[in-house]
Amino acid sequence: MSTLDVTWARAWIRACAEDVANHRVALNELDRAIGDGDHGQNLDRGLSAVTATLAQTTTDTPGEVFRLVASGLMSAVGGAAGPLYGTAFLRAAKAAGAGNLDATGLARVLAAAVQGIIDRGKAEPGDKTMVDAWLPAANAARAVAEEGADVTQVLDAAAAAAAQGARDTEPWVARKGRASYLGERARGHRDPGAQSSALMLAAAVPASLAGGTEATDG
């Protein structure tokens, strides 16, 4: 049985920063259609600040990394995204505890993260928000973990579900946030928060393949 350690967690956050930076313009364009037009810019700035702090900080567990990410995103990301992502990582840190993450622990972390988003943003599935990427990801992670999947398979299932969840928001009318004021005009546009969530969850997969896993007995 393999587990995810602090090396993976740090690699994941660096990969998140790189992927969001690479997709910053596209995320802004999605947000421009139904929001303020700065989602990519804000998230890029926040993750850049987080990675700079990580480079100067010693961390021993995934939970410590998630706690640092939470603080950084809450401080540096404007609008709703900062508090929502920050709360997700704060809850993830608490669920992660003080050790490495096995498949069940990883599923528990994702479930805690999405519950944090729901609690903070008061959004429900189908509201056309980042919940619509995170909740399918958490559900998929739990399902494959219960079937005996390893940590990389759990991450892969979560990433695939998040990507589909983000795509699914395109035809919906938004029920939360600024996009909700657009009514029918929000149809045909993917939610930017769901898309950035899908990008970040996808980044966790190659981070696990590149290193940061430990084999354990059992």
Side-chain angles (χ1 to χ4, degrees):
M1 181 175 65
S2 60
T3 61
L4 296 169
D5 63 13
V6 67
T7 302
W8 162 77
R10 294 174 71 94
W12 176 29
I13 301 308
R14 290 194 300 269
C16 285
E18 292 173 3
D19 285 358
V20 167
N22 289 337
H23 291 86
R24 177 177 58 84
V25 174
L27 290 171
N28 282 345
E29 289 175 352
L30 288 178
D31 195 32
R32 190 170 295 115
I34 59 175
D36 294 329
D38 58 1
H39 182 66
Q41 176 181 328
N42 283 339
L43 194 54
D44 180 26
R45 181 177 62 248
L47 286 168
S48 295
V50 165
T51 54
T53 301
L54 265 179
Q56 301 171 9
T57 306
T58 299
T59 50
D60 296 320
T61 65
E64 290 180 9
V65 173
F66 298 158
R67 191 167 288 106
L68 184 151
V69 172
S71 176
L73 293 181
M74 286 181 178
S75 298
V77 178
L84 290 171
Y85 270 119
T87 301
F89 277 99
L90 191 60
R91 295 287 184 87
K94 184 175 181 180
N100 293 351
L101 297 172
D102 60 11
T104 300
L106 179 58
R108 184 173 61 247
V109 161
L110 292 176
V114 71
Q115 190 59 52
I117 296 169
I118 291 171
D119 291 345
R120 187 66 183 256
K122 310 302 180 186
E124 299 178 355
D127 281 349
K128 197 177 178 112
T129 71
M130 59 198 296
V131 169
D132 296 305
W134 279 90
L135 186 58
N139 289 341
R142 183 185 67 251
V144 298
E146 289 174 350
E147 293 171 357
D150 64 25
V151 288
T152 298
Q153 291 170 322
V154 170
L155 290 173
D156 195 46
Q164 184 60 54
R167 288 192 293 268
D168 288 345
T169 65
E170 290 184 16
W172 297 347
V173 170
R175 298 198 295 255
K176 285 289 182 180
R178 180 169 178 174
S180 65
Y181 298 114
L182 298 178
E184 290 292 326
R185 288 179 294 163
R187 293 192 191 275
H189 301 287
R190 188 175 303 189
D191 180 70
Q195 182 62 19
S196 65
S197 297
L199 287 172
M200 291 174 66
L201 287 164
V205 180
S208 73
L209 297 172
T213 61
E214 290 186 1
T216 59
D217 295 333

